[in-house]
Amino acid sequence: MLARSSHKLAKVGLALGGATGLYAGYRLAYSEEGDFDIYNIGVARFGRAAFTVGSIGLDYKKSLFGPQVDLESADYEQIKSHCHQRSADKLLKLCCDNGGCFIKVGQHIGALDYLLPEEYVSTLKILHHKAPAMAMHDVMAVLREDLKTDPAQVFVEFDEEPLGTASLAQVHRARLKDGSEVAVKVQHRYVKNHSFVDITTMDILIRTVKLVFPDFEFMWLAEEMKKNLPLELSFTEEGKNAEKISILLEKFSWLKIPEIHWDLTSDRVIVMEYCPGGHVNDLEYIKANKIDPLDISKKIGQMYAEMIFRYGYVHCDPHPGNVLVQKDDNGNPQVVLLDHGLYTQLTHDFRKNYADFWLSILNADLDGIKQNADKLGVGQLYGLFACMVSGRSWSSIQKGIGTNEKSSAESKEIKENAQMYIKQIADVLAFVNRQMILLFKTNDLLRGIEHSLGTQNSMASFIQMSRACFRCLSAEERRRSRTRWGRFQVSLCSQWHQLKITFYQVFLWAWWSSLGRKVRALTSS
Ligand SMILES: Nc1ncnc2c1ncn2[C@@H]1O[C@H](COP(=O)(O)OP(=O)(O)OP(=O)(O)O)[C@@H](O)[C@H]1O
């Protein structure tokens, strides 16, 4: 069945690729101006994508389901791994050749650690550092077209070397006439023009794969892409999101969201306050600037917990490149949150269920885990789901993740299980509430940062999560309570929970302190 499907897919892909290739050739041969870029016209981009998908299908068919293939042989796993690798390389090439939206989607795929075969993830991860830089004359052309004036009239300095280059845009440091330093984010020149064809291409190809392989469980990826890419391509929306989140999180005096210069902002250009600083996972920078890594982990945990549990309004691109740390004018550490291109609004019910689920994990309450996973749409796969949310093994969850250090053996076990349960993980992603996918990414960011900063044992972000979970659940109970006395009881109870978390925090600090470790070593020997 699978063999026939791969064959069908290969034929469809090759036919589509061939047809579009011929059409593109015809267009080139008969173009009157003869000055268009054959490699960039929509039809060639579509043809290239269809051809790649087709050839991947053919490779899977020949390598894994051909007449000579022995599914029971000892080499089968290796053959499969080589086939994944070849296909991942082809996808990488496609993303680099087509650029723009393709790189963005490739980056999303590269961020799906443990959810896709390792060969795809490690190959496509490269795209995070491989976005092509736009030539200066294109940067200036976009600025001229969108600001409707000569950029030299606006900026007295403009660094040619970008601060960062990404799939959809690049950012330059510049100075305005009034002397203020700004960061100018400029969209790659042709991305918007190509976006309609690119999004449609990816949608058609993913649907074709689904048609040919009914078991293909990654339709959610296509849906997310179709919904999100157009939003990410509007920098006016990005400016609005930045303003909204800075108002919501106003009470965090240590949080900086760059201010937007609205008079210099359009759909393809955003000019904002320049914020110096190092990336949040750059431990060397943090130490050199005498910033406390634990304090940073705590602040980032607090920031995300507030977004998720209090407002349900969550930054959708949680990767370390978007979080900077610096010291403010008074020498206090500051966290800078960048890239407000995409936010999700979580529903009230989802937030409540997710808070309940987290609390059951933190309390090692297995019945609670089961019931709340069910409410989030996961059903029987609750154990795996709890591992995916917490990044811990099932045995640690059962024992209680608070007092069980994540050892390297546990990390290895998780990695191996992720390879083994790939189909089940895809099922969880297909069934779970859509809003959960973003939260997987957020949890990954928090874990990654704690790992880079060496603060994982303090559980700083988990502690902030639990505090926010309790606050979210108490607010819900207060809302439901009809009498003043009832609301008073809920508030009292909430204070008690917060106090318990503080005790727990002190306990963790003592447990993982060098004295605690010595005492444990003495008592266990
Ligand atoms: N206001 C700013 N001040 C200082 N540096 C900035 C600022 N905005 C962006 N940068 C730098 O530019 C880089 C890219 O910015 P940003 O993440 O907004 O671009 P992007 O196109 O959305 O990238 P990606 O999609 O990869 O997150 C950041 O990692 C940061 O180093």
Side-chain angles (χ1 to χ4, degrees):
M1 161 75 188
L2 209 55
R4 228 177 321 132
S5 298
S6 315
H7 195 57
K8 232 192 312 172
L9 178 65
K11 279 209 283 203
V12 173
L14 291 173
L16 284 173
T20 47
L22 281 176
Y23 179 61
Y26 167 84
R27 285 282 309 269
L28 182 71
Y30 292 93
S31 150
E32 275 176 19
E33 302 88 20
D35 61 351
F36 66 83
D37 178 3
I38 177 71
Y39 297 108
N40 257 332
I41 58 169
V43 78
R45 299 162 69 75
F46 179 85
R48 200 185 284 136
F51 190 83
T52 304
V53 172
S55 83
I56 289 176
L58 200 60
D59 193 3
Y60 272 97
K61 185 205 171 254
K62 268 200 338 217
S63 313
L64 304 186
F65 310 105
Q68 278 93 22
V69 180
D70 174 7
L71 298 186
E72 306 298 321
S73 96
D75 298 339
Y76 184 72
E77 282 307 310
Q78 208 187 4
I79 295 173
K80 191 157 83 182
S81 166
H82 286 164
C83 185
H84 286 331
Q85 187 59 58
R86 281 194 301 277
S87 308
D89 290 339
K90 284 178 197 160
L91 272 189
L92 177 67
K93 182 164 177 349
L94 171 68
C95 293
C96 293
D97 288 349
N98 272 6
C101 297
F102 279 82
I103 295 193
K104 187 83 200 172
V105 172
Q107 285 175 342
H108 283 310
I109 297 177
L112 294 174
D113 285 283
Y114 309 139
L115 306 180
L116 286 179
E118 164 65 16
E119 294 80 359
Y120 282 93
V121 174
S122 57
T123 306
L124 292 169
K125 246 193 180 94
I126 297 171
L127 289 172
H128 279 288
H129 314 282
K130 217 184 163 188
M134 175 171 37
M136 238 359 233
H137 65 88
D138 282 332
V139 172
M140 289 300 150
V142 176
L143 289 174
R144 226 180 344 263
E145 284 162 25
D146 278 41
L147 302 183
K148 313 238 175 315
T149 181
D150 179 359
Q153 296 295 317
V154 179
F155 306 105
V156 287
E157 280 172 28
F158 198 97
D159 287 357
E160 294 212 352
E161 183 64 32
L163 290 166
T165 303
S167 48
L168 306 180
Q170 65 192 43
V171 181
H172 293 261
R173 194 205 65 89
R175 195 176 292 280
L176 297 178
K177 278 189 167 161
D178 65 5
S180 48
E181 224 178 353
V182 288
V184 186
K185 182 160 163 179
V186 186
Q187 196 169 99
H188 290 316
R189 194 168 178 189
Y190 300 107
V191 163
K192 220 182 187 74
N193 290 351
H194 289 153
S195 65
F196 176 74
V197 172
D198 287 355
I199 294 172
T200 313
T201 299
M202 288 188 258
D203 190 36
I204 292 174
L205 291 177
I206 294 176
R207 275 173 203 287
T208 312
V209 174
K210 175 75 183 168
L211 203 74
V212 181
F213 295 105
D215 285 345
F216 182 73
E217 293 297 1
F218 290 94
M219 286 308 289
W220 58 269
L221 196 67
E223 284 156 26
E224 294 291 302
M225 175 202 72
K226 257 181 18 190
K227 185 167 68 127
N228 296 338
L229 269 173
L231 294 174
E232 290 186 75
L233 285 167
S234 164
F235 288 178
T236 319
E237 284 304 311
E238 174 162 353
K240 286 187 200 156
N241 292 339
E243 282 196 344
K244 180 166 175 185
I245 199 67
S246 73
I247 292 170
L248 293 181
L249 303 184
E250 207 171 26
K251 68 172 183 183
F252 295 143
S253 54
W254 43 262
L255 178 64
K256 175 125 207 99
I257 311 285
E259 273 183 35
I260 309 296
H261 290 256
W262 280 111
D263 51 331
L264 298 173
T265 293
S266 70
D267 254 10
R268 294 191 303 166
V269 175
I270 183 164
V271 177
M272 62 195 135
E273 179 186 359
Y274 173 76
C275 302
H279 284 135
V280 65
N281 55 354
D282 184 350
L283 191 56
E284 254 176 53
Y285 174 91
I286 289 178
K287 284 192 172 154
N289 284 276
K290 302 203 170 36
I291 298 173
D292 176 10
L294 187 57
D295 183 44
I296 295 297
S297 286
K298 196 176 124 198
K299 286 183 159 73
I300 291 172
Q302 230 174 330
M303 176 177 84
Y304 271 100
E306 196 76 359
M307 284 195 249
I308 295 170
F309 294 109
R310 175 119 192 241
Y311 300 109
Y313 185 66
V314 192
H315 183 278
C316 284
D317 203 359
H319 72 78
N322 288 335
V323 188
L324 303 181
V325 285
Q326 62 176 49
K327 274 192 166 170
D328 68 12
D329 297 340
N330 302 319
N332 298 318
Q334 226 176 16
V335 172
V336 183
L337 186 63
L338 300 173
D339 193 357
H340 303 277
L342 200 58
Y343 273 77
T344 277
Q345 182 64 57
L346 306 176
T347 63
H348 178 268
D349 283 351
F350 173 81
R351 246 182 324 150
K352 155 105 182 45
N353 295 338
Y354 184 62
D356 281 333
F357 185 68
W358 252 117
L359 285 188
S360 5
I361 294 182
L362 293 166
N363 293 332
D365 165 11
L366 303 189
D367 284 336
I369 291 181
K370 207 167 165 175
Q371 281 163 16
N372 293 309
D374 205 34
K375 287 189 199 153
L376 289 167
V378 175
Q380 284 313 305
L381 296 168
Y382 61 89
L384 180 64
F385 179 54
C387 298
M388 288 163 72
V389 168
S390 64
R392 300 296 303 265
S393 68
W394 182 236
S395 57
S396 295
I397 293 173
Q398 284 171 307
K399 281 188 238 152
I401 56 174
T403 45
N404 280 287
E405 189 173 6
K406 188 171 176 183
S407 61
S408 46
E410 184 181 344
S411 300
K412 190 162 164 258
E413 181 190 333
I414 294 170
K415 214 167 180 161
E416 281 166 7
N417 283 348
Q419 291 293 316
M420 214 152 73
Y421 293 116
I422 210 120
K423 165 83 180 98
Q424 288 83 342
I425 291 175
D427 285 346
V428 168
L429 290 174
F431 298 135
V432 77
N433 190 310
R434 264 307 70 99
Q435 300 170 70
M436 201 49 232
I437 291 171
L438 164 64
L439 299 191
F440 281 132
K441 274 169 74 181
T442 306
N443 291 341
D444 257 4
L445 169 85
L446 297 177
R447 279 196 290 271
I449 290 176
E450 291 197 334
H451 182 75
S452 308
L453 301 186
T455 56
Q456 60 271 43
N457 289 334
S458 72
M459 310 266 295
S461 56
F462 284 117
I463 298 275
Q464 301 311 326
M465 285 281 180
S466 343
R467 285 194 189 282
C469 271
F470 274 117
R471 274 201 295 269
C472 167
L473 296 174
S474 302
E476 172 67 16
E477 276 185 51
R478 254 199 314 272
R479 205 170 58 90
R480 287 209 193 140
S481 162
R482 300 244 162 100
T483 63
R484 247 192 222 184
W485 172 241
R487 283 193 290 274
F488 175 69
Q489 279 180 311
V490 173
S491 296
L492 213 60
C493 197
S494 164
Q495 299 293 334
W496 171 237
H497 283 312
Q498 296 294 335
L499 194 66
K500 273 200 316 196
I501 296 176
T502 307
F503 287 144
Y504 180 59
Q505 217 169 347
V506 174
F507 161 76
L508 279 182
W509 170 78
W511 180 271
W512 298 115
S513 67
S514 46
L515 183 66
R517 284 176 201 269
K518 275 186 202 144
V519 172
R520 284 205 305 284
L522 278 177
T523 49
S524 65
S525 60

